[in-house]
Amino acid sequence: MEDVSDPPFRYVCKQNGVDLMYTEFISSEGLIRDAAKSIQKLDIFEYERPIGIQIFGSNIESMREASAVASKANPDLIDINYGCPVKNVACKGAGASLLQDIDKMVKMTKAVVEATHLPVTVKTRLGWDDSTKNVYEVAERLQEVGIKALTIHGRTRSQMYKGEADWRLIRDIKRNPNIEIPIFGNGDVDSAEKAFAWRKEFEVDGIMIGRASIGYPWIFREVKHFFNTGEFLPGPTISERVEVCRTHFMKSVEWKGEKVGIFEMRRHYANYFKGLPNSKDLRNRLVSLNSVVEINHVLDEISETYSEVLVG
């Protein structure tokens, strides 16, 4: 969720009922060198709580120092990313790469736990590839060095985000009598019905939703409503889509400045208006604009033009 789960995005997710959020993952090397982009990612706000700061890296000592730096920002927990599969992270010895060296992963995790007074959690995958699905061992060994919860994405690194997430091994870990920490499942949860069914089937303590919330923060309220009532909550109206998109946009400009805020919001429009007639043309218009006034004008136009349109 790099360049996605920033404060403006987290704001609209919180407004729609998310229980726990994490920052974008932050490079340990960037933190200890005071890189501007990394330091900015430490920005958290009281309304976001509970919130965790997620860090990643390949050097144990750098991760130890980064844990201490991140702790000073006063989050509710520190999370270590051992799951990111992208080349410029995993091929530099960080993220999912640590699944190839469990001993180093354990030492790194121990260093992070010892460097902070906060709870430490971990996000990882099933393994590096189909022949090395070692997350069962990972869960036991990381629990031994003090992590307080483990989130598992139901794919290997080699799968990236292709194919279907397999939660069966996640359930096996939850059933392991040696595991006492909460186990959270992640991967392919994109509806309230699926969240409910998979939590029951795979016996996890909770569910992490990532990609399905991009441009659709309403998924959190829909999941919670279904869990509480067994009924489906109607999706957002066009007016609501526009207003939440506008809130996200204005928060982006407020936090990042007009130029950067406008530019970085462009990745979200397609998801906010997915399913609308001419959605591609709408997105192309929005990403071509460079002023707050012009973008708000187009958002007003969308609300007026499509107020009677139902989006499934």
Side-chain angles (χ1 to χ4, degrees):
M1 300 288 279
E2 185 181 21
D3 295 329
V4 173
S5 57
D6 56 15
F9 175 79
R10 299 197 303 264
Y11 180 87
V12 295
C13 289
K14 190 68 174 182
Q15 293 296 301
N16 281 280
V18 68
D19 290 314
L20 170 65
M21 299 186 291
Y22 294 93
T23 62
E24 302 170 74
F25 72 168
I26 307 175
S27 164
S28 57
E29 300 296 336
L31 272 189
I32 64 178
R33 288 170 172 72
D34 291 332
K37 186 174 182 180
S38 295
I39 295 300
Q40 186 185 38
K41 289 180 180 180
L42 292 176
D43 286 356
I44 56 177
F45 301 90
E46 284 302 310
Y47 66 78
E48 297 182 295
R49 297 189 185 280
I51 185 166
I53 290 176
Q54 188 181 83
I55 59 176
F56 74 98
S58 60
N59 181 276
I60 293 174
E61 187 54 37
S62 296
M63 286 289 283
R64 184 197 306 275
E65 293 179 37
S67 176
V69 171
S71 298
K72 292 178 182 177
N74 196 31
D76 297 286
L77 56 93
I78 300 294
D79 187 67
I80 308 173
N81 185 305
Y82 293 137
C84 181
V86 300
K87 185 178 294 185
N88 67 350
V89 173
C91 292
K92 293 181 179 178
S97 176
L98 275 298
L99 286 162
Q100 299 177 103
D101 190 345
I102 306 304
D103 289 343
K104 182 178 179 181
M105 180 193 284
V106 171
K107 290 176 183 176
M108 182 178 287
T109 305
K110 187 173 187 291
V112 170
V113 168
E114 292 175 346
T116 180
H117 64 287
L118 297 167
V120 174
T121 61
V122 163
K123 168 85 182 293
T124 192
R125 288 183 169 234
L126 301 179
W128 181 257
D129 55 30
D130 284 341
S131 63
T132 57
K133 290 183 178 179
N134 50 13
V135 71
Y136 200 92
E137 176 189 355
V138 167
E140 288 196 349
R141 294 186 66 184
L142 296 191
Q143 178 180 260
E144 288 175 3
V145 295
I147 70 166
K148 301 303 182 184
L150 177 66
T151 297
I152 305 167
H153 180 91
R155 290 182 175 87
T156 62
R157 187 272 168 177
S158 64
Q159 286 181 272
M160 301 295 285
Y161 294 99
K162 298 176 182 177
E164 295 183 356
D166 183 355
W167 285 45
R168 291 172 297 177
L169 188 51
I170 303 175
R171 179 176 55 203
D172 290 345
I173 292 167
K174 180 58 190 174
R175 288 177 174 177
N176 180 352
N178 296 324
I179 293 296
E180 298 176 353
I181 59 173
I183 300 296
F184 299 93
N186 171 240
D188 293 352
V189 175
D190 55 9
S191 69
E193 187 176 26
K194 188 179 288 186
F196 182 83
W198 284 16
R199 185 175 184 188
K200 183 176 181 180
E201 180 180 356
F202 298 108
E203 304 169 16
V204 292
D205 295 288
I207 290 173
M208 180 180 284
I209 297 174
R211 289 176 295 160
S213 65
I214 300 174
Y216 200 85
W218 302 278
I219 191 168
F220 299 110
R221 74 177 187 186
E222 291 174 6
V223 168
K224 294 179 80 170
H225 184 82
F226 191 83
F227 269 75
N228 291 333
T229 68
E231 300 174 353
F232 291 104
L233 195 66
T237 63
I238 298 303
S239 176
E240 190 172 11
R241 283 176 180 258
V242 169
E243 288 313 306
V244 172
C245 179
R246 192 195 310 275
T247 297
H248 189 169
F249 167 59
M250 295 306 295
K251 288 285 184 181
S252 183
V253 170
E254 178 186 322
W255 185 60
K256 303 171 184 176
E258 184 169 347
K259 183 177 180 180
V260 177
I262 288 173
F263 178 77
E264 294 197 354
M265 186 64 192
R266 289 174 178 173
R267 65 173 58 89
H268 294 282
Y269 294 128
N271 288 293
Y272 272 115
F273 301 118
K274 182 178 180 181
L276 276 180
N278 304 314
S279 60
K280 185 175 180 180
D281 291 339
L282 293 173
R283 183 248 176 211
N284 288 340
R285 286 182 64 193
L286 287 165
V287 301
S288 70
L289 301 174
N290 293 301
S291 83
V292 171
V293 172
E294 290 176 322
I295 291 170
N296 274 319
H297 178 74
V298 173
L299 291 176
D300 289 338
E301 184 182 319
I302 293 171
S303 186
E304 293 169 6
T305 303
Y306 297 101
S307 59
E308 303 301 321
V309 174
L310 296 177
V311 179

